[in-house]
Amino acid sequence: MNDPLVYLNGEMTPLSEAKIPVLDRGFIFGDGVYEVIPIYGRRMFRSEQHMARLFRSLDKIGIPNPHDLAGWMALIRQVVDASPDDEQMVYLQVTRGVARRAHAFPAEVTPTVFIMTNPLVLPSAEVRSKGVACVTMDDKRWLHCEIKSVSLLGNVLAAQHAAENQVTEAIQFRDGMLTEGSSSNVWIVKDGVLAGPPKDNLILEGIRYGLIQELCEGLGIPMQVRRISREEVFAADEVMISSATKEVLPVTRIDGQPVGNGAPGPIYAKLYEAYQAAKAAA
Ligand code: PMP
């Protein structure tokens, strides 16, 4: 079996030998946060934004940041360099650490730090040319989706709902208003205007969220950040999802109905091209 080197609490070790105590609060309570950073041509893409989001997530749940930015970069670099792949996705996780089981924060505890990398598998040209199908569902998650927490049960159940329906993603709505996918942000286009939901506590602000805003500005595509109703999603000319591993991907069927004319649209095509240019320039 492929057994890549990973970083765990100060050491590089084969993945198969990386072990944590069962009392780790990540295991017991889901008390931790994580990040996923794409690596193109062995270089991190948008690492400052990813690290800023990690630092925000840590801060929001009161886990002391175990490393400064330079320290984090050096650790990630070590894991990336140990991999043979040029295109990777780095996963890093920080939990509150190991302590006797009690809900409230332990007095003295050292955070657990884990970093691994996997090959980055992007959607194929064939998938891009057809677009993907999605299903809709009510958003049943808690009210701090802006924290990139490892407590992902709501997202796991949403992804499973999509898998059972043999589609790519579950698009979630709270009180009839669009939030996001199980692991992606969701965008609609109507009459040439791109719209995304507010960057509040109801969604995770993807690193692609800011990137898409920048790309729209560069391309002269008008863009709105506002509440989007379920009806607007079904009446959209185009729908897209974005994430580190999907980049920006057209959604061409929702709950079995075609989106727009059922094919990937022109705004998607422009954004995808600009995305590739941003990667090449990074
Ligand atoms: N929302 C959720 C719930 C996610 O898990 C992800 C993927 N990390 C995103 C949005 C998109 O974020 P990013 O662009 O940083 O991958």
Side-chain angles (χ1 to χ4, degrees), residues 180-230:
E180 61 183 344
S182 72
S183 60
S184 60
N185 290 120
V186 180
W187 308 88
I188 67 162
V189 176
K190 188 70 185 175
D191 299 329
V193 180
L194 185 89
K199 297 182 264 185
D200 57 14
N201 61 311
L202 300 183
I203 67 165
L204 181 77
E205 182 182 341
I207 302 310
R208 259 78 3 225
Y209 199 117
L211 176 58
I212 285 170
Q213 283 184 303
E214 283 172 35
L215 297 179
C216 280
E217 214 164 293
L219 292 164
I221 298 169
M223 159 154 198
Q224 300 171 341
V225 173
R226 61 176 177 82
R227 295 250 173 264
I228 297 163
S229 71
R230 192 182 160 83

Side-chain angles (χ1 to χ4, degrees), residues 3-152:
D3 197 13
L5 284 176
V6 301
Y7 172 90
L8 179 63
N9 293 333
E11 281 177 41
M12 292 292 284
T13 161
L15 178 60
S16 63
E17 287 165 31
K19 302 273 190 303
I20 55 156
V22 290
L23 285 181
D24 192 285
R25 291 177 61 99
F27 178 61
I28 296 284
F29 293 119
D31 185 1
V33 297
Y34 74 108
E35 266 303 321
V36 177
I37 309 172
I39 309 288
Y40 298 119
R42 309 198 73 82
R43 293 213 308 269
M44 283 178 242
F45 186 61
R46 299 241 142 184
S47 58
E48 308 80 43
Q49 289 88 340
H50 279 282
M51 296 320 286
R53 185 170 68 183
L54 175 71
F55 293 2
R56 283 201 305 277
S57 292
L58 286 168
D59 193 52
K60 288 229 175 196
I61 68 166
I63 293 181
N65 189 347
H67 301 290
D68 62 13
L69 184 60
W72 275 112
M73 287 296 136
L75 294 179
I76 297 169
R77 180 50 53 208
Q78 240 186 312
V79 176
V80 169
D81 287 350
S83 161
D85 299 301
D86 289 344
E87 321 283 305
Q88 306 175 25
M89 57 177 192
V90 170
Y91 175 89
L92 62 91
Q93 174 171 339
V94 185
T95 76
R96 201 176 305 278
V98 180
R100 190 180 62 81
R101 186 182 180 280
H103 289 57
F105 301 173
E108 279 192 21
V109 63
T110 307
T112 299
V113 177
F114 172 56
I115 309 174
M116 68 174 167
T117 187
N118 283 293
L120 175 62
V121 181
L122 295 170
S124 66
E126 198 201 341
V127 166
R128 290 199 169 283
S129 70
K130 286 195 190 133
V132 297
C134 291
V135 286
T136 64
M137 65 184 285
D138 282 339
D139 194 334
K140 298 175 190 143
R141 300 173 302 160
W142 74 326
L143 295 175
H144 280 293
C145 300
E146 83 282 12
I147 302 170
K148 202 162 170 57
S149 160
V150 296
S151 300
L152 284 171

Side-chain angles (χ1 to χ4, degrees), residues 159-182:
Q160 180 59 19
H161 181 62
E164 283 169 6
N165 284 279
Q166 288 154 340
V167 298
T168 299
E169 183 57 297
I171 298 178
Q172 301 171 98
F173 294 86
R174 197 183 285 274
D175 300 327
M177 293 291 164
L178 174 65
T179 56
E180 61 183 344
S182 72

